[in-house]
Amino acid sequence: MDNWLNRVRVVLCRPEGALNVGAVCRAMKSMGLRELYLVSPLPFDNDEVFKMAIHARDIYENAVVTDSLEEALGDTALSAGITRRRGAKRKWFSILPEELAEKSAALESGITALVFGNERTGLDDNELNLCNIACHIPTSPEFPSLNLSHAVQIVTSVFYRKSIGEHTGAYNPITREELDNLVQVIHDSLDAMNYFKAADRFHTDRYF
Amino acid sequence: MDNWLNRVRVVLCRPEGALNVGAVCRAMKSMGLRELYLVSPLPFDNDEVFKMAIHARDIYENAVVTDSLEEALGDTALSAGITRRRGAKRKWFSILPEELAEKSAALESGITALVFGNERTGLDDNELNLCNIACHIPTSPEFPSLNLSHAVQIVTSVFYRKSIGEHTGAYNPITREELDNLVQVIHDSLDAMNYFKAADRFHTDRYF
């Protein structure tokens, strides 16, 4: 089955920090994303990248380097600039990561690009204008500044959650009647085992 | 008004990395959390911490250091161990960050502790047993390893989102009839301004 997450690309515009790029690789892989594009990156010390990427170094090794954001977005169907700003030709709407994940998951084909800006300056106007849509991560107005890899981690985490559904395990609510019956069976069984006399406090105090 | 987030504490058990602790401070403050407890931390190079904390250094400066997790949890009403594991006296349920935020927000008083383990080894059995509940961050089974500060960022982000509600701006859906009327008014107005002849492509191509 087509896993929609396989069609989600992370694009870093003008990244500067090797440690950040490594941390982005780890953040991506932990959330099931694999495709990284680096637009006009500085030359990186690979050892620094790998130090933070740990077992996600393959993401860096397979990263595509482009000279321009146009190139990195050329084959995409949906591109979102992750930013607190709206740009000069302002985006009138900036959606939430959850809303972006909804849109991306609804695409039956085509690549979604998550576009992140430089660590210090973020996305510039031109970069944001090249994106279809703006997306922002809600933060405290007192200190809205997120580390690049942390921003990637939040958005990719939301995407991963969307891909696995609302609950991580199968969850089938049962009726009150079924629940009461279940409790009765458990209680009777424990009673038959003499549990209520035998159980010591050590083994039960963390039960509830 | 009581902001429930002011009653949420981050507890780091046996943290080793000064950079990690700094990054945790930044992650917390960006999501409106202020109270940090450090249980048996190594002695940290403060400059390293501040390098990553940036303007969140006050969180580190005000952090409470304790010798034991018991001490750090003594005055809490709800404590959650953030972990992939379940412990020896296993927690039978491990909830999602969103579910934990629901529980925490529902407390009318009392402190919620978000308990994170050591960077390399995570929470040990004893630490997890001291918590009321386990909470896990869904990750890709291929690479489930999260950096400590990234784990803190994801959970605190979910808490912040819970605190500001589902939508960041007021959103009042309108009826189809109202929408049609609105579109008509906009269209008529633009037409009256001779917009459709005057507008050049440059200014409209990013409109839709």
Side-chain angles (χ1 to χ4, degrees):
Chain A
M1 205 185 75
D2 171 51
N3 182 346
W4 139 82
L5 275 189
N6 292 333
R7 292 185 279 106
V8 178
R9 171 184 303 170
V10 170
V11 179
L12 303 184
C13 296
R14 301 168 289 120
E16 290 181 9
L19 293 173
N20 278 328
V21 172
V24 166
C25 293
R26 182 173 174 183
M28 287 173 59
K29 195 164 179 178
S30 69
M31 296 301 162
L33 297 191
R34 307 196 149 273
E35 197 172 271
L36 177 65
Y37 273 55
L38 303 170
V39 178
S40 307
L42 292 186
F44 292 124
D45 177 340
N46 285 353
D47 287 341
E48 290 270 287
V49 175
F50 295 148
K51 186 174 144 191
M52 289 300 281
I54 315 182
H55 297 296
R57 60 185 286 166
D58 55 308
I59 303 243
Y60 180 68
E61 287 165 340
N62 295 322
V64 176
V65 177
T66 68
D67 290 329
S68 70
L69 181 55
E70 283 92 334
E71 255 181 277
L73 298 183
D75 60 343
T76 61
L78 174 64
S79 55
I82 317 296
T83 179
R84 282 187 275 151
R85 300 172 58 249
R86 299 285 174 92
K89 292 202 227 173
R90 286 166 188 277
K91 303 285 178 194
W92 291 99
F93 298 103
S94 176
I95 64 176
L96 294 168
E98 289 83 349
E99 294 166 331
L100 180 60
E102 289 276 350
K103 283 184 194 294
S104 181
L107 293 179
E108 289 183 12
S109 66
I111 292 165
T112 297
L114 308 175
V115 184
F116 295 85
N118 171 269
E119 288 94 331
R120 287 178 297 105
T121 58
L123 286 177
D124 67 28
D125 283 350
N126 187 46
E127 287 162 345
L128 183 53
N129 287 334
L130 288 170
C131 298
N132 301 129
I133 203 161
C135 171
H136 67 284
I137 298 167
T139 50
S140 167
E142 284 177 53
F143 186 55
S145 161
L146 291 172
N147 172 282
L148 171 61
S149 69
H150 286 69
V152 172
Q153 185 77 77
I154 291 173
V155 178
T156 58
S157 168
V158 169
F159 270 63
Y160 186 69
R161 281 298 304 279
K162 174 72 188 168
S163 81
I164 59 174
E166 198 56 38
H167 292 280
T168 49
Y171 175 61
N172 296 307
I174 61 174
T175 65
R176 180 61 190 241
E177 195 183 353
E178 286 172 314
L179 182 63
D180 286 345
N181 287 342
L182 180 62
V183 170
Q184 194 61 45
V185 168
I186 292 171
H187 190 279
D188 290 349
S189 304
L190 289 172
D191 205 19
M193 288 161 64
N194 216 22
Y195 176 85
F196 295 110
K197 286 175 190 151
D200 64 19
R201 185 173 170 128
F202 177 79
H203 287 100
T204 56
D205 64 353
R206 295 279 170 206
Y207 190 80
F208 294 105
Chain B
M1 205 185 74
D2 170 51
N3 182 347
W4 139 82
L5 275 189
N6 292 334
R7 293 185 278 105
V8 178
R9 171 184 303 171
V10 171
V11 179
L12 304 183
C13 295
R14 302 168 289 119
E16 291 181 7
L19 293 172
N20 278 329
V21 172
V24 165
C25 293
R26 182 173 174 184
M28 287 173 60
K29 195 164 180 178
S30 70
M31 296 302 162
L33 296 192
R34 306 195 149 274
E35 195 171 273
L36 177 64
Y37 274 54
L38 303 171
V39 178
S40 307
L42 292 186
F44 292 125
D45 177 341
N46 285 353
D47 288 342
E48 290 269 286
V49 175
F50 296 149
K51 186 174 144 190
M52 288 301 282
I54 314 182
H55 297 295
R57 61 185 286 166
D58 56 308
I59 303 242
Y60 179 68
E61 287 165 341
N62 295 322
V64 176
V65 176
T66 68
D67 290 328
S68 69
L69 181 56
E70 283 92 334
E71 256 182 276
L73 298 183
D75 60 342
T76 60
L78 174 65
S79 55
I82 318 295
T83 178
R84 284 186 273 150
R85 301 171 58 250
R86 299 284 174 93
K89 292 201 229 172
R90 288 165 187 278
K91 302 286 179 194
W92 291 100
F93 299 103
S94 175
I95 64 176
L96 295 168
E98 289 84 349
E99 295 166 331
L100 180 59
E102 290 276 350
K103 282 183 195 295
S104 180
L107 293 181
E108 289 183 13
S109 66
I111 292 166
T112 297
L114 308 175
V115 184
F116 295 85
N118 170 269
E119 289 93 332
R120 288 178 297 103
T121 58
L123 287 177
D124 67 28
D125 283 349
N126 187 46
E127 288 162 344
L128 183 53
N129 287 334
L130 289 169
C131 300
N132 300 131
I133 203 161
C135 171
H136 67 283
I137 298 168
T139 50
S140 167
E142 286 178 50
F143 187 55
S145 160
L146 291 172
N147 172 282
L148 171 60
S149 69
H150 286 69
V152 172
Q153 184 76 78
I154 290 174
V155 177
T156 57
S157 168
V158 169
F159 270 64
Y160 186 69
R161 281 298 303 281
K162 174 72 189 167
S163 79
I164 59 173
E166 199 55 39
H167 292 279
T168 49
Y171 175 61
N172 295 307
I174 60 173
T175 65
R176 179 61 189 242
E177 194 182 352
E178 288 171 312
L179 182 63
D180 287 346
N181 287 342
L182 180 63
V183 169
Q184 194 62 44
V185 168
I186 292 171
H187 190 280
D188 291 348
S189 306
L190 289 172
D191 206 18
M193 289 160 65
N194 216 21
Y195 177 85
F196 295 111
K197 286 174 190 154
D200 64 18
R201 182 167 171 133
F202 176 77
H203 287 100
T204 56
D205 64 354
R206 296 275 171 209
Y207 190 78
F208 294 106

